[in-house]
Amino acid sequence: MDQGPKNTPKIVIIGAGLSGILMGIQLLKEGIKTFEILEMGESVGGTWRDNTYPGLCCDVPAHAYSYTFEPNWKWRGVHAEGHEIREYFEHCADKYGLKPFLHFNTRVNRITREDDAWTIATEDGLLRRADIVVSCMGWLVYPKSPEIMGLENFTGQYFHSACWDHTVSLDGKRVGVIGTGSSAIQITSALVERVAHFSLFQRTPAWILQNAQKPRPDWLRGLQRKIPILAKLSGRIQQLNMERNFSSALSGNRKTMSVLESVCQNNLDKVRDPELKKKLTPNYSVGCKRIVISNTFYDSIQQPNAQLVTDNIQHIEPGGVRTRDGRLHELDVMIFATGFHTMDYIRNMTITGVQGQNLRDVWADGAQALRSICIAGFPNLFMIGGPHSPLGNFPITGLSETQVRYVMHFIRMIKRGKVRTVTAKLSAQDQYNEMLRNALKGTVWDSGCSSWYLNAKGQPAIYPFTPKQYRKDLCRPDFTEFEMSSS
Ligand code: N01
C-alpha cells in the first residue's frame, strides 16, 4: 500500500463489487492512494461476476444502473444483460486506474480493533493495519441452498443459480427449478424452449411487472457515444421515472400504488388457464416482496413442456423431487434459485470492536447501524449497503453513490487531520433505528409476506422513505450523532 503523506489515512475496502469499485474511484478522485481493495473473488463485479445463469438481466434500466459520472452509450438494450454489467464495472475499474489497488482471491476472515487501528486478517495468513475500513460486501453474496431431505441421493446434477455449472448440458433434459424470485423467473424464460421438460417448484408466487425490455437502436447508441451527456441524461430520466413510479408507491403513496397494483394484475390476467392463474396469484400486497420484472415468464410457463408445481416438496429421491401429493417429478438437473443470505452482512467473518465486542453478538437481535453506515463501538468502520439501506426495486448504483459521498465527508476530515476517529453515538444509533422501526410499521414491506428484506426477527430491515429523502438525509453528516477524537 502507498504510504502517502503523514496524515493520509490507510484504508482497506472489502469487496470489489459496484460499491467497492465506486469507493476506490472516489478515493483516487480526491488524491488518496493509500488504500487497498480486498476481494475474495477472482475479478471485479460482485454479484454480476458470480451470477452467469441463462437469461440474467438487470431489472433496473441500464442507464440508471450506471455510475452518474460514467455514462455508458454501449448498453445494447433498455435493460442490460448480466455480462454487459460485469464488463461495465471491469471497464470502470480499468479506466479509473484501480488495478494496482485490487487484491483478488483475498478473503477477509477477521477485522479487529486494536491499538487505535484496525487489523485485517485474510485467509492467506497476512495481516494488514488500516486507519479506516469500508465494508462494501453487498447482499447477494452467499447463496442460500434449501435443506431438502434426500438431496444426497439425487442421481442427476444440481447447483445454485448463483454458481451456474456451465459444464452441465440442459438441452433436451428434464430440468427443475426451485424458487420463484427474480432469478428463477429469468431462468424459466431462458430455459423452457431449450429443455425437454421444465418444472418450476413454487412456494410463493411473485407479482410480476412488464417493462421496456427492448434493444436500443444503433443510431441512439451512436448519438450517445458522440454526446455522452445524452447517456447521462437518460440515466437521470430513468432514475426519476423509477422513483416516481416505484419508490413513491412502495413508500406509501396510495395513488401510485394503485397504478402499480393494476399494472401487475393486468399482466397476471394474461394467463389464460384459470387454474394456472389461480396458482400464480400472490396472496400478499404488491411490493411486499421485491417485484419481479419479466415480459416473458407467463408465456414460458404456459408452454406445453412446462409445469408449475405448487404442492410442497416432501423430499428428493434418486430420480427427482417427490411432492406431498405423492407425485414424483423426474428430473435430470435440479437448479436452486433459492436466493441469498441477504441479511447476514458479516457471514464467515469476525469483527471485533473497540472493547472486544463481537459484532455478531452486538447484532444478535438484528443488524443495526447509524444511517446504514456507522456502528456504535466500531470507530472508523463504514458500510456501503449496511442495514436499512433503501432496497425496494431502486437502482443500487445511486444508493451507493449517496453512501460513498457521505463516507467521504469523514475520510476528508481524517485526511486533513481534523479528527482521527469517528464513531456513531449509541444513543443516536438507537434513536435512528427506533425511528425506522416505527416508520416501517404499516408499510408494504411489513404487510405480511416472507421476503429477503426481513431480518432474523422477521422485521423489514430497509429504509421506509423515498430515495429522494435518503439523499437528503445523507447530504452531509449531522456531527452531533458522532463521537470524534482528534488525538
Ligand atoms: O432470490 P429470492 P433470487 N423450498 O430470495 C424460494 C436480485 N436479482 O435469487 O418466497 C422452496 O428473491 C423462495 O420462496 P419464498 C434481486 O434483488 C436481481 O431470485 O421464500 N422454495 C423464493 O421464491 C432479487 O430480489 C436480478 O416462499 C424456496 C426463491 O426461492 C434478489 O437478487 C436478477 C426454498 C428465492 O427468491 C434475489 O433474487 C436476479 C425452499 N426451501 C436476482 N427456499 C436483476 O434483475 C427459498 N425458496 C437485477
Side-chain angles (χ1 to χ4, degrees), residues 47-48 51 53 56-60 65 79-80 85 140 144-148 160-162 178-186 201-206 284 289-293 313 336-340 342 391 393 450-453:
T47 195
W48 298 104
N51 282 271
Y53 62 74
L56 176 65
C57 175
C58 186
D59 54 8
V60 169
Y65 204 87
H79 289 257
I85 304 176
L140 310 173
K144 191 163 78 180
S145 290
E147 287 166 19
I148 305 175
H160 190 278
S161 58
I178 299 180
T180 44
S182 302
S183 303
I185 299 290
Q186 291 183 344
F201 294 87
Q202 171 186 281
R203 193 163 67 178
T204 314
Y284 56 87
K289 288 160 105 66
R290 189 175 163 108
I291 299 169
V292 174
I293 312 290
I313 296 172
F336 303 134
T338 42
F340 299 83
T342 48
L391 288 175
N393 284 89
S450 77
S451 87
W452 66 261
Y453 300 146

Side-chain angles (χ1 to χ4, degrees), residues 80-208:
E81 291 179 19
H83 70 91
E84 287 182 89
I85 304 176
R86 180 177 44 73
E87 285 154 19
Y88 171 75
F89 290 123
E90 282 167 357
H91 155 82
C92 291
D94 280 355
K95 175 171 171 181
Y96 289 90
L98 280 188
K99 273 210 172 133
F101 303 90
L102 285 159
H103 299 264
F104 296 121
N105 302 309
T106 306
R107 181 191 287 269
V108 174
N109 285 342
R110 263 183 303 114
I111 311 174
T112 312
R113 187 78 187 169
E114 44 193 16
D115 302 328
D116 263 354
W118 289 106
T119 301
I120 298 100
T122 44
E123 203 173 42
D124 51 15
L126 287 181
L127 293 180
R128 288 172 170 83
R129 295 278 287 166
D131 302 296
I132 297 170
V133 171
V134 187
S135 156
C136 299
M137 293 193 277
W139 305 278
L140 310 173
V141 181
Y142 296 103
K144 191 163 78 180
S145 290
E147 287 166 19
I148 305 175
M149 218 170 47
L151 177 60
E152 66 284 3
N153 302 324
F154 183 55
T155 52
Q157 284 152 309
Y158 63 89
F159 47 84
H160 190 278
S161 58
C163 316
W164 198 269
D165 185 344
H166 291 277
T167 64
V168 175
S169 149
L170 299 170
D171 298 295
K173 298 276 173 66
R174 297 165 300 177
V175 175
V177 170
I178 299 180
T180 44
S182 302
S183 303
I185 299 290
Q186 291 183 344
I187 292 167
T188 301
S189 299
L191 287 193
V192 165
E193 62 181 27
R194 277 177 56 186
V195 303
H197 192 263
F198 184 89
S199 306
L200 181 65
F201 294 87
Q202 171 186 281
R203 193 163 67 178
T204 314
W207 282 113
I208 300 176

Side-chain angles (χ1 to χ4, degrees), residues 197-334:
H197 192 263
F198 184 89
S199 306
L200 181 65
F201 294 87
Q202 171 186 281
R203 193 163 67 178
T204 314
W207 282 113
I208 300 176
L209 198 64
Q210 285 204 335
N211 67 1
Q213 277 165 340
K214 56 180 183 205
R216 291 182 345 107
D218 285 345
W219 66 262
L220 182 58
R221 296 168 76 224
L223 193 65
Q224 291 184 346
R225 181 183 195 172
K226 277 196 196 124
I227 314 170
I229 188 88
L230 292 180
K232 190 173 174 157
L233 199 64
S234 295
R236 185 78 187 124
I237 292 168
Q238 287 174 348
Q239 183 198 347
L240 288 177
N241 238 336
M242 288 206 72
E243 292 193 5
R244 196 170 316 120
N245 300 329
F246 263 120
S247 322
S248 71
L250 297 176
S251 35
N253 183 318
R254 263 318 308 162
K255 213 165 142 195
T256 40
M257 179 50 101
S258 63
V259 175
L260 200 55
E261 284 165 349
S262 61
V263 175
C264 286
Q265 185 61 51
N266 289 345
N267 193 25
L268 179 63
D269 288 343
K270 290 182 189 141
V271 178
R272 297 177 298 273
D273 174 357
E275 259 314 294
L276 181 65
K277 183 175 161 188
K278 202 166 148 200
K279 288 179 176 177
L280 288 168
T281 304
N283 65 355
Y284 56 87
S285 308
V286 170
C288 183
K289 288 160 105 66
R290 189 175 163 108
I291 299 169
V292 174
I293 312 290
S294 173
N295 290 1
T296 45
F297 170 73
Y298 288 139
D299 278 344
S300 300
I301 200 64
Q302 293 180 86
Q303 295 306 307
N305 65 330
Q307 67 161 342
L308 181 75
V309 182
T310 54
D311 285 295
N312 286 343
I313 296 172
Q314 189 173 56
H315 61 254
I316 294 172
E317 350 189 313
V321 170
R322 178 82 62 182
T323 43
R324 289 211 187 277
D325 58 355
R327 222 179 128 194
L328 175 66
H329 302 270
E330 290 182 288
L331 300 174
D332 302 308
V333 182
M334 193 168 7

